[in-house]
Amino acid sequence: VAILAHQKYTASCCEYIENRYAEQGCVCYVPSKQEKHVYANRTKRMVTKLIIPRFIFVSGISENQAYYQVREWPHVELFMADRAKERSKGHIALAQIAHRDMVKLQNAINGVRSADDITFTAEDLAFDEQIKVVSGELKGLEGGYYKSGGDDYLVFTLGRLGNIKVRVSITDCALTK
């Protein structure tokens, strides 16, 4: 289930959800990357950069729990709905993200050097060729090939939410059929 939280409270909202539903196997994932930031006064500090701001992905809870309990959680603004599915008991179906797509997102985030190398976009991106990364940190990642502004990107879809663009080195990639 994809939840949209108030930006200032994304991390605390995720922690609250995990603590409250831990015994049910509830797991939250906030797409983020830890990076070292150097300030103007030359101090260094680890900061967390959100890849998809405000999004929390929750697994291990039923749709019924999501409708009647999750909306009561602090700082939850709304759910991402899947408008292509039929309404059930007057409710719009919640957007479900396939497990394989979440694993692909996690692998992409773990494989990039910087949070600037991965972006989320809701726009439709046209690509003709499918590529697979065959070497480097992103090895095994597959998706469409997209070129923009002199950079090469591997693009994959994250359910009905949009596309994830990952900056890749084309020398690490091979065409797939």
Side-chain angles (χ1 to χ4, degrees), residues 74-146:
H75 312 302
V76 169
E77 290 186 5
L78 54 96
F79 295 97
M80 298 306 293
D82 186 350
R83 300 206 181 273
K85 290 187 180 175
E86 289 185 28
R87 289 179 178 246
S88 170
K89 298 179 186 175
H91 297 291
I92 295 173
L94 299 178
Q96 303 288 326
I97 310 299
H99 179 70
R100 70 180 180 283
D101 290 341
M102 289 308 303
V103 169
K104 196 184 271 193
L105 175 63
Q106 290 170 339
N107 290 341
I109 290 172
N110 293 336
V112 295
R113 289 186 184 94
S114 165
D116 298 331
D117 291 338
I118 185 167
T119 52
F120 172 76
T121 179
E123 66 183 277
D124 287 330
L125 301 173
F127 46 85
D128 323 311
E129 299 171 332
Q130 291 290 320
I131 59 172
K132 180 177 183 176
V133 180
V134 293
S135 65
E137 294 292 321
L138 295 168
K139 186 176 181 176
L141 196 61
E142 296 183 51
Y145 175 69
Y146 180 75

Side-chain angles (χ1 to χ4, degrees), residues 21-163:
Y21 293 95
E23 70 277 353
Q24 297 172 14
C26 177
V27 177
C28 293
Y29 178 65
V30 177
S32 59
K33 180 99 175 151
Q34 288 276 333
E35 293 186 343
K36 189 183 294 185
H37 183 77
V38 180
Y39 293 93
N41 64 1
R42 298 184 187 195
T43 58
K44 297 175 185 174
R45 190 167 275 145
M46 292 299 284
V47 295
T48 301
K49 290 189 175 182
L50 298 177
I51 305 297
I52 309 175
R54 302 178 60 200
F55 274 81
I56 299 173
F57 297 100
V58 183
S59 65
I61 61 171
S62 70
E63 203 163 306
N64 194 34
Q65 283 175 312
Y67 276 124
Y68 298 109
Q69 296 172 2
V70 176
R71 66 180 173 179
E72 304 296 324
W73 294 342
H75 312 302
V76 169
E77 290 186 5
L78 54 96
F79 295 97
M80 298 306 293
D82 186 350
R83 300 206 181 273
K85 290 187 180 175
E86 289 185 28
R87 289 179 178 246
S88 170
K89 298 179 186 175
H91 297 291
I92 295 173
L94 299 178
Q96 303 288 326
I97 310 299
H99 179 70
R100 70 180 180 283
D101 290 341
M102 289 308 303
V103 169
K104 196 184 271 193
L105 175 63
Q106 290 170 339
N107 290 341
I109 290 172
N110 293 336
V112 295
R113 289 186 184 94
S114 165
D116 298 331
D117 291 338
I118 185 167
T119 52
F120 172 76
T121 179
E123 66 183 277
D124 287 330
L125 301 173
F127 46 85
D128 323 311
E129 299 171 332
Q130 291 290 320
I131 59 172
K132 180 177 183 176
V133 180
V134 293
S135 65
E137 294 292 321
L138 295 168
K139 186 176 181 176
L141 196 61
E142 296 183 51
Y145 175 69
Y146 180 75
K147 190 166 184 81
S148 173
D151 291 324
D152 299 306
Y153 293 94
L154 180 140
V155 178
F156 62 90
T157 304
L158 189 61
R160 295 184 178 272
L161 298 179
N163 295 308

